[in-house]
Structures are given as C-alpha cells and as structure tokens.
Amino acid sequence: MKNKNKLAIVSILSFGLIFSACNKDEAKDNPAAISAATSDTEKKDDASNNNEENVTKDGENNKDAKSSVSLSDWQGDWNSMYEYLEDPEIQSAYSTLAKNEEIDEDKAKEDYLAKRKADFAGLIIDADKVTFLDNFPEKDGKTIGEGTYKFSKTEEQMLGEHKITWNIFEATNEDAPYKYLTLMKIDPNEDLLHFHFRYGNDLDEILNKESWFPTVVSPQTTNEQLIDEITE
C-alpha cells in the first residue's frame, strides 16, 4: 500500500514537470505570442513618446506665441532724427564723419541727411495705432496721417558683414498713409534711445533701399548723443 502511494506521488510530480517544460517549449516555438507581447510594449512606448512630443510641440507653440512681435514694443512718442540734423550745435559732427569716411565734408553731410530723411517729424505709437505728425509730439505736432498696423513677418538682410532684421507691419485701414512699416528693434543697451525704420507702399522697394535708414529718437535726446550717433 505504501509503495502504491509513493508511485502515485512520483507520477504527479513527473506530470507537473513535463507540463511546465511543454509550456516553455511552446513559448519558444510560438513567435507570434512573443511578437504580440513585444508589440504591446512598443505601443506603450510609442504612446509615451507621442505624449512627450505633443508636450514639446505645445511648449514650442506657447513660446512662439509669447515671443511674437507686437507694435507695442515701440510704443511711445518719437522725434525724427532728420529734424535735428541742421542744428548749429551738431554741425561739427560732419567734419568728424568726413574724416572717418575719407570724403569731403559737404558730401558727408549730404549723404547723412539722405540716409535719415523722413517725410514726417514725429511719431506716436499707441498699441497698434501709429500717428504721423508734422512736428515733434512735445511741440504739439499736427496729425498728417494715422494707421493701424498688424505684424506680418520678419525679413533678414546683410548690411556689410552685419545681419539686420526688419519687423514688417502692414496697415489694416485703407486710408493709412503708408501700407507698410518696417522697424528694427530698439537696442536697450544703446546710450541713445532710438530705432531705425522704413515706410512706403511697395515692400520690395522699401527693402531694397540699402542706404536709407530713417530714425526716430527719444524726446529726451541730447546734442552729445546725436553727435555720437552721427560719428560712430
């Protein structure tokens, strides 16, 4: 009787070992099962990667939105630099400019005036609205035109060895005096608070006027700052 019980136990254990071995062999011999398991893992990884990619794209989109150009970046009252260029106090600057460029003084002045030429004396920028004046704002300049402008795009150009960037704005009202305004960023590190710009109705023509850089300056500008700007 005891011998029978021992035989029964041995048989059960042997069957269990054989069953376990068969399962392992079946897994090895069944690549479809392995592939399915691997596929499930890859899908989870892909889903995780897609989520990370979406987060990155959303982050980039948010960054782009925050860094978008707004006309309010130039907000304030501005005086055309051109209106200062005949002041007796700054005439000495043209002599220095002529020496620096190795040309005649009259030619140096003539070229510089053409470079800063503007058809209005003052600007007021308030949000997306630009008011063009016949005199400085602090001298009660009269309005000669108004326009609302929206940012369109940026355009890069090479000026000698330097790359410059124009921020291009397009008028949204038909009676704006100029269809396009192109503005360079204000450099907060400059002693003279100013920015260069161009304006007109033909964008290609505006961008191709390589020697034309109208400039507006802060109403608090001094003669010394103007002389430094002319002779730099």
Side-chain angles (χ1 to χ4, degrees):
M1 189 70 177
K2 291 180 179 179
N3 291 333
K4 289 182 179 180
N5 289 338
K6 289 180 179 179
L7 288 172
I9 292 170
V10 170
S11 297
I12 292 170
L13 292 173
S14 299
F15 180 78
L17 290 172
I18 293 169
F19 181 78
S20 175
C22 288
N23 281 343
K24 290 179 180 179
D25 291 340
E26 183 179 357
K28 291 178 181 178
D29 295 335
N30 189 357
I34 296 173
S35 177
T38 303
S39 178
D40 287 341
T41 302
E42 289 175 349
K43 286 179 180 178
K44 289 178 182 178
D45 290 340
D46 288 342
S48 176
N49 290 336
N50 286 337
N51 287 338
E52 291 177 2
E53 184 178 355
N54 288 337
V55 169
T56 301
K57 286 181 178 179
D58 289 342
E60 290 174 352
N61 289 337
N62 289 337
K63 183 179 179 181
D64 289 341
K66 290 179 181 178
S67 62
S68 61
V69 179
S70 169
L71 190 58
S72 61
D73 295 339
W74 292 266
Q75 180 144 327
D77 293 356
W78 300 96
N79 297 344
S80 171
M81 184 178 179
Y82 181 75
E83 301 298 317
Y84 293 91
L85 297 182
E86 294 288 0
D87 286 358
E89 293 82 359
I90 66 169
Q91 296 309 298
S92 62
Y94 300 117
S95 174
T96 303
L97 179 63
K99 291 177 183 177
N100 292 342
E101 297 187 353
E102 299 181 347
I103 59 175
D104 179 76
E105 183 175 335
D106 289 339
K107 175 64 173 173
K109 179 177 178 179
E110 178 184 350
D111 289 349
Y112 196 84
L113 265 65
K115 181 179 182 179
R116 302 301 187 204
K117 172 69 177 175
D119 295 307
F120 40 85
L123 285 179
I124 298 176
I125 299 177
D126 183 11
D128 62 350
K129 180 181 178 182
V130 181
T131 304
F132 303 87
L133 308 173
D134 67 353
N135 206 337
F136 296 161
E138 71 271 22
K139 293 184 177 180
D140 299 323
K142 294 181 176 60
T143 299
I144 56 177
E146 291 181 335
T148 55
Y149 291 84
K150 66 177 181 179
F151 176 69
S152 174
K153 62 180 179 177
T154 59
E155 187 83 21
E156 291 184 342
Q157 289 182 329
M158 292 303 298
L159 182 63
E161 298 180 352
H162 303 285
K163 181 183 291 185
I164 61 174
T165 301
W166 291 111
N167 299 278
I168 300 171
F169 292 83
E170 186 172 351
T172 59
N173 59 311
E174 293 184 358
D175 59 343
Y178 312 105
K179 184 176 181 180
Y180 296 103
L181 294 179
T182 66
L183 312 177
M184 291 178 64
K185 283 288 189 180
I186 300 170
D187 186 349
N189 298 315
E190 291 275 357
D191 182 47
L192 173 62
L193 188 62
H194 70 287
F195 65 87
H196 307 297
F197 65 96
R198 291 177 185 169
Y199 56 91
N201 297 318
D202 185 323
L203 186 57
D204 288 336
E205 182 182 354
I206 294 169
L207 295 175
N208 288 330
K209 289 184 176 180
E210 296 181 356
S211 60
W212 184 49
F213 289 89
T215 303
V216 290
V217 299
S218 163
Q220 285 74 45
T221 296
T222 66
N223 289 333
E224 290 76 13
Q225 290 173 326
L226 291 169
I227 291 171
D228 288 342
E229 179 66 17
I230 295 170
T231 59
E232 69 175 1

